[in-house]
Amino acid sequence: HVQLVESGGGSVQAGESLNVSCSYSGPRQTYCMGWFRQAAGKEREWVATIFRKTGETQYADSVKDRFTISKGDDGETWYLQMDSLKPEDTAMYSCAAHVTFPCSLSDGRSDYWGQGTQVTVS
């Protein structure tokens, strides 16, 4: 039984920071983990990926240099630090866990998804 639970999120002013975290439990180790977001009326957008073993990170151009993805040592918890937030960052942020090779998060595909946590920037 796989569980992904997000925490954090909330409402902030433009230019402020916010951190969201995700906790994974399941029978298989994660291979790569990440975050997606979906704004009202828009398609889901990949935000960032981190690889459990190497710690390599990847970012969408829209968040590069503003957002930072990181993970705990066990690869079962990961975080998204969001700085210099803009109103266009407002969305439901969902974490994703991929347990198979290759990692396909940047293609919009994941083995498991969290329920999401709302981030609102005004």
Side-chain angles (χ1 to χ4, degrees), residues 20-68:
V20 290
S21 62
C22 182
S23 179
Y24 164 86
S25 61
R28 298 180 66 178
Q29 274 188 335
T30 54
Y31 175 68
C32 64
M33 310 86 80
W35 292 94
F36 287 77
R37 66 185 182 185
Q38 187 166 19
K42 294 191 176 181
E43 291 190 356
R44 185 170 58 203
E45 175 191 18
W46 167 73
V47 173
T49 296
I50 188 165
F51 287 79
R52 184 186 64 82
K53 213 172 229 187
T54 64
E56 177 191 346
T57 58
Q58 299 169 345
Y59 296 95
D61 288 342
S62 58
V63 305
K64 203 174 288 184
D65 299 326
R66 297 189 300 120
F67 289 12
T68 304

Side-chain angles (χ1 to χ4, degrees), residues 27 43 45 73 95 103 113:
E43 291 190 356
E45 175 191 18
D73 289 339
C95 62
C103 186
W113 301 90

Side-chain angles (χ1 to χ4, degrees), residues 58-119:
Q58 299 169 345
Y59 296 95
D61 288 342
S62 58
V63 305
K64 203 174 288 184
D65 299 326
R66 297 189 300 120
F67 289 12
T68 304
I69 188 171
S70 60
K71 63 178 180 70
D73 289 339
D74 59 7
E76 294 183 351
T77 305
W78 54 102
Y79 312 91
L80 187 67
Q81 174 67 32
M82 300 177 284
D83 298 321
S84 302
L85 282 161
K86 305 174 182 179
E88 51 263 45
D89 294 318
T90 295
M92 182 72 75
Y93 283 71
S94 299
C95 62
H98 203 67
V99 300
T100 52
F101 176 86
C103 186
S104 56
L105 297 187
S106 59
D107 293 329
R109 290 177 287 121
S110 180
D111 291 324
Y112 304 107
W113 301 90
Q115 292 295 310
T117 184
Q118 180 66 35
V119 171

